[in-house]
């Protein structure tokens, strides 16, 4: 049934596009505003696993994802002489958890998600200047002198969210913004990354394999980490990670905007060209096979904010929890935010009063914050384990890969994969695998409309 309120989504990334698709299914009016002038073509490898794949099965997208992805069977960790330090088996986890881990290029996934939202509801070149709240509406004002009003504003606009900044200014003026939320994001790493054009499988046999080949190389002489992934189309996704020490991070003003861009990438490309590459050759081979406009450098910050909403504004994704990427939890948690928020918006009474909206936002934050906190901590641990270059990090890495049994490492990954939110106003897909999944809550409205009363 159509709903009588309008949602304004700031940000056309993965969280914003998934939320748009879900609101479309829920019959809720929405518009998506993206500051970039065109759909993104930047990024490297990303992955989805058991804690998000039930949603895509529910939405009928498994075949679409399979076409742009490869499943992970093994992940190899190498030293800079290409010796295998660790071989992490993904097959055993797949059987237990019911789904495998799919690896794809970020631009491919972005295009897939964009195709699922009506084109007339996504607006590009819409940079938000201010978010103004009144008792009965919220208004976005843009740099092109236009404005739009609605009932709810969703800040899905990234780690340096204009929506969050506007909300926090208002809360700070009222003296109710926690001190922690006033602090800057913490810098940990920066990445040079890209996705190649098709390369020759005869020269790089890993490209011809049906499964995704992942090789992570640790360099000790230059303190870089090289991550390389095979994706469909005989392409490599690659990134070079550099660990930023605390005192260095404070001076990295060139990266402070945290934007995907290639303006500052050339000097780092020159710095790493002669490095041995995990799948053979040197990094120059991968860099030269990647279109210049598709190479970017991005600062990797982290911060878990306490305040996720206020009045008619609510935050999702990087806008409220910016995570380091090594555990692959950033995009997954952003999408989980979108799912849980859509579920609660579906149950929002037709009259979008401030009281009703605040109740809805509180339910959303209450479910998501503990899970986001767990994922945030996992991301910290994994990033230091995979890419950290301090003496402590290197010692922990050696201990983990040399002495801790694989089943112990797998056990640590089971808890995050037990949380698998689905759209609670659509038929649920059954649990897969043998691992116990956390119980899900059905929509009250769905139960009333469909005569369903059993929780799943």
């Amino acid at each position: 049934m159509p709903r009588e309120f309008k949602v304004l989504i700031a940000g056309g990334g993965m969280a914003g596009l998934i939320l748009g698709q879900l609101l479309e299914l829920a019959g809720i009016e929405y518009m998506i505003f993206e500051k970039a002038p065109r759909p993104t073509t930047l990024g490297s490898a990303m992955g989805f696993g058991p804690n998000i794949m039930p949603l895509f099965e529910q939405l009928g997208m498994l075949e679409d994802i399979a076409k742009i992805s490869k499943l992970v069977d093994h992940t190899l960790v190498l030293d800079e002489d290409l010796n295998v330090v660790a071989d992490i088996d993904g097959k055993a986890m797949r059987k237990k958890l019911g789904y495998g881990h799919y690896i794809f290029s970020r631009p491919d996934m972005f295009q897939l998600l964009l195709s699922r939202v009506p084109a007339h509801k996504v607006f590009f070149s819409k940079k938000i200047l201010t978010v103004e709240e009144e008792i009965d509406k919220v208004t976005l004002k843009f740099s092109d002198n236009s404005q739009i009003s609605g009932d709810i504003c969703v800040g899905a606009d990234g780690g340096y969210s204009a929506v969050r900044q506007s909300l926090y200014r208002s809360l700070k003026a009222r003296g109710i913004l926690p001190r922690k939320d006033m602090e800057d994001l913490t810098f940990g790493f920066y990445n040079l990354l890209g996705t190649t054009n098709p390369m020759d499988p005869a020269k790089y046999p890993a490209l011809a394999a049906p499964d995704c080949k992942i090789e992570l190389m640790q360099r000790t002489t230059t303190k870089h980490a090289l991550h390389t992934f095979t994706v469909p189309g005989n392409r490599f996704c690659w990134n070079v990670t550099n660990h930023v020490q605390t005192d260095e991070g404070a001076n990295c003003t060139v990266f402070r905007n945290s934007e995907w861009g290639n303006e500052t990438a050339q000097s780092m490309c020159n710095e790493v060209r002669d490095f041995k590459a995990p799948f053979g050759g040197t990094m120059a081979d991968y860099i030269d096979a990647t279109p210049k406009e598709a190479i970017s450098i991005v600062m990797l910050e982290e911060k878990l904010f306490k305040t996720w909403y206020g009045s008619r504004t609510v935050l999702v994704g990087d806008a409220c929890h910016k995570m380091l990427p090594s555990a692959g939890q950033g995009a997954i948690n952003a999408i989980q935010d979108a799912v849980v928020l859509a579920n609660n918006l579906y149950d929002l009474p037709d009259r979008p009063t401030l009281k009703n909206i605040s109740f809805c936002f509180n339910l959303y934050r209450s479910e998501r914050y503990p899970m986001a906190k767990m994922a945030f901590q996992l991301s910290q641990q994994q990033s230091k384990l995979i890419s950290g270059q301090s003496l402590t990090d290197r010692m922990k890495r050696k201990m983990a890969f040399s002495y801790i049994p694989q089943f112990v490492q797998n056990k640590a990954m089971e808890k995050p994969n037990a949380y698998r939110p689905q759209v609670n106003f659509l038929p649920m897909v059954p649990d897969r695998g043998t691992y116990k999944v956390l119980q899900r809550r059905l929509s009250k409205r769905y139960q009333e409309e469909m005569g369903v009363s059993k929780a799943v």
Side-chain angles (χ1 to χ4, degrees):
M1 297 291 292
R3 313 301 307 284
E4 298 300 321
F5 58 89
K6 181 192 293 185
V7 178
L8 308 178
I9 303 173
M14 292 195 181
L17 293 174
I18 283 286
L19 181 58
Q21 182 180 169
L22 299 183
L23 296 184
E24 186 79 25
L25 294 170
I28 297 173
E29 187 179 357
Y30 68 96
M31 302 169 78
I32 300 174
F33 303 97
E34 169 57 45
K35 68 180 178 181
R38 63 188 66 86
T40 183
T41 59
L42 297 173
S44 184
M46 297 184 65
F48 289 160
N51 53 359
I52 201 67
M53 292 310 296
L55 166 70
F56 291 112
E57 182 177 359
Q58 190 182 29
L59 296 176
M61 294 178 64
L62 285 188
E63 288 188 10
D64 292 330
I65 290 178
K67 289 177 182 177
I68 65 170
S69 308
K70 286 190 175 185
L71 275 169
V72 178
D73 282 347
H74 290 271
T75 298
L76 296 182
V77 181
L78 313 175
D79 63 22
E80 59 188 314
D81 295 320
L82 302 183
N83 299 311
V84 176
V85 177
D87 181 350
I88 303 171
D89 185 1
K91 285 185 176 180
M93 289 288 285
R94 188 188 311 170
K95 183 176 180 180
K96 185 170 187 177
L97 297 176
Y99 298 88
H101 282 82
Y102 292 79
I103 301 295
F104 44 82
S105 78
R106 182 178 184 270
D108 288 350
M109 179 55 67
F110 181 85
Q111 290 297 332
L112 174 59
L113 296 181
L114 185 62
S115 72
R116 306 279 294 195
V117 179
H120 67 279
K121 295 188 178 183
V122 183
F123 302 84
F124 291 94
S125 295
K126 302 296 286 187
K127 182 178 180 179
I128 296 173
L129 295 181
T130 61
V131 180
E132 297 182 0
E133 303 228 18
E134 300 177 43
I135 293 178
D136 60 344
K137 66 179 180 180
V138 59
T139 301
L140 306 185
K141 293 188 175 181
F142 303 98
S143 59
D144 60 4
N145 295 320
S146 64
Q147 63 181 52
I148 186 76
S149 295
D151 298 289
I152 289 170
C153 172
V154 179
D157 50 342
Y160 287 85
S161 165
V163 172
R164 186 188 68 239
Q165 291 173 32
S166 183
L167 170 64
Y168 281 14
R169 279 195 298 270
S170 174
L171 298 178
K172 185 178 179 181
R174 293 160 55 191
I176 57 175
L177 183 66
R179 184 177 297 275
K180 277 286 184 183
D181 285 344
M182 302 180 195
E183 297 175 358
D184 291 337
L185 280 73
T186 301
F187 293 87
F189 304 84
Y190 61 86
N191 268 4
L192 174 75
L193 46 83
T195 300
T196 69
N197 287 326
M199 299 180 72
D200 185 2
K203 185 176 181 180
Y204 304 98
L207 292 169
D211 60 308
C212 175
K213 300 299 183 182
I214 303 177
E215 294 194 355
L216 313 178
M217 179 193 289
Q218 303 295 330
R219 289 180 59 89
T220 56
T221 54
T222 62
K223 297 187 177 180
H224 290 81
L226 313 183
H227 304 167
T228 317
F229 312 77
T230 60
V231 293
N234 292 330
R235 296 172 299 158
F236 286 111
C237 288
W238 57 271
N239 72 66
V240 182
T241 302
N242 200 335
H243 188 185
V244 179
Q245 302 301 322
T246 303
D247 56 341
E248 293 175 334
N251 296 321
C252 290
T253 55
V254 68
F255 302 119
R256 277 194 178 276
N257 60 0
S258 191
E259 296 290 343
W260 296 88
N262 60 6
E263 294 81 1
T264 58
Q266 191 57 49
S267 62
M268 190 171 174
C269 284
N270 294 335
E271 179 185 340
V272 304
R273 287 181 64 85
D274 294 333
F275 289 179
K276 287 182 180 179
F279 287 107
T282 66
M283 286 307 301
D285 299 321
Y286 299 79
I287 292 169
D288 292 343
T290 305
K292 286 186 177 181
E293 65 275 11
I295 298 176
S296 57
I297 188 167
V298 62
M299 196 71 196
L300 304 177
E301 314 93 337
E302 60 176 350
K303 186 173 176 64
L304 177 62
F305 294 91
K306 290 184 174 296
T307 306
W308 287 27
Y309 68 89
S311 190
R312 293 179 175 270
T313 298
V314 64
L315 307 174
V316 299
D318 286 356
C320 53
H321 48 67
K322 186 76 167 67
M323 301 181 190
L324 297 173
S326 289
Q329 293 298 306
I332 287 174
N333 274 263
I335 293 173
Q336 289 176 338
D337 289 348
V339 173
V340 176
L341 179 60
N343 287 344
N344 285 290
L345 289 175
Y346 182 81
D347 275 339
L348 182 68
D350 288 322
R351 190 162 170 260
T353 63
L354 277 174
K355 181 179 179 181
N356 289 338
I357 290 172
S358 180
F359 181 74
C360 165
F361 290 171
N362 184 56
L363 286 177
Y364 153 70
R365 199 261 186 193
S366 296
E367 175 176 341
R368 285 295 306 136
Y369 185 84
M371 306 310 299
K373 183 177 181 180
M374 178 175 64
F376 181 84
Q377 293 169 341
L378 175 63
S379 296
Q380 282 185 321
Q381 295 164 4
Q382 287 288 99
S383 291
K384 290 182 178 181
L385 181 65
I386 297 297
S387 302
Q389 294 295 344
S390 70
L391 177 60
T392 301
D393 293 334
R394 293 199 295 271
M395 291 176 62
K396 287 182 178 179
R397 183 159 51 243
K398 183 175 178 60
M399 178 69 70
F401 293 145
S402 301
Y403 303 109
I404 298 178
Q406 182 64 51
F407 77 90
V408 175
Q409 298 180 43
N410 291 346
K411 193 74 177 176
M413 295 301 297
E414 289 178 359
K415 189 174 181 181
N417 285 300
Y419 176 68
R420 307 179 183 186
Q422 295 186 35
V423 183
N424 66 10
F425 52 86
L426 295 176
M428 297 281 183
V429 301
D431 295 336
R432 311 292 184 196
T434 60
Y435 188 69
K436 184 175 177 58
V437 176
L438 295 179
Q439 189 178 62
R440 294 177 289 270
R441 176 179 57 85
L442 286 179
S443 158
K444 293 180 181 179
R445 182 180 293 269
Y446 179 83
Q447 292 178 61
E448 292 170 357
E449 292 176 351
M450 304 301 292
V452 177
S453 58
K454 183 181 178 181
V456 296

